[in-house]
Amino acid sequence: MTLAPRYLRGVVAGFCVAPSLALAQPASAPAGPAEAGKLTVEAQAARTMQARNLAASCAVCHGTDGKPPADGPIPRLAGRQQADLVELMFNFKNGKRSGTVMPQIAKGYSDAQILAMAAWFADQK
Ligand code: HEC
């Protein structure tokens, strides 16, 4: 086990305490058959919070909410297409694209976590 993913997991676990507590609460029962399988407003909000907390790990380099200083060397993540961000992360993760730090960082996240973070960054304007 390398240091970086362990560090990141620690950070992620720390950030996720509140949302996972929220998820531990029983969700209110769906109103009827039409509602079955849909997320409650609370469950959706908890997922958004989890994605935001995952994305907070990126802020140290990519800036708060994925908005780095405009004149800096680090690429902006906020407001970009989710599909583009997912592709970039998958390419780092599977070794198609090299980089100084991102290949190691991307390997620390599951595909589902990458999808969630990318959706969250896409929503930041
Ligand atoms: C230690 C600083 C650092 C952290 C933390 C970091 N990044 Fe990066 N990121 C970089 C650098 C530097 C690059 C340029 C590629 C490289 O050298 O690895 C980059 C590039 C990227 C790119 C490619 C952008 C493009 O237009 O090519 C994406 C997407 C990205 N990072 C997403 C993330 C996400 C999501 C996180 C949080 C899970 C994250 N980064 C955390 C430094 C960082």
Side-chain angles (χ1 to χ4, degrees):
M1 186 184 292
T2 59
L3 261 182
R6 226 163 75 190
Y7 163 75
L8 284 175
R9 263 199 293 279
V11 170
V12 168
F15 277 121
C16 288
V17 168
S20 43
L21 283 179
L23 280 179
Q25 307 287 329
S28 49
E35 295 298 311
K38 282 192 188 167
L39 284 176
T40 61
V41 172
E42 293 82 4
Q44 184 59 54
R47 284 200 179 182
T48 302
M49 190 61 75
Q50 277 183 324
R52 194 194 76 153
N53 290 344
L54 284 169
S57 317
C58 322
V60 65
C61 295
H62 289 277
T64 303
D65 299 342
K67 299 171 186 169
D71 54 351
I74 306 283
R76 180 184 174 95
L77 302 178
R80 294 175 62 174
Q81 294 290 315
Q82 180 193 15
D84 294 346
L85 291 173
V86 167
E87 192 184 351
L88 287 162
M89 288 296 281
F90 283 3
N91 285 344
F92 282 128
K93 188 174 169 179
N94 66 26
K96 264 195 206 158
R97 183 173 163 191
S98 60
T100 55
V101 291
M102 287 310 300
Q104 293 89 326
I105 290 173
K107 287 185 179 74
Y109 293 92
S110 69
D111 292 356
Q113 287 173 322
I114 288 173
L115 284 165
M117 284 191 287
W120 189 84
F121 280 121
D123 280 345
Q124 307 310 305
K125 301 299 178 200

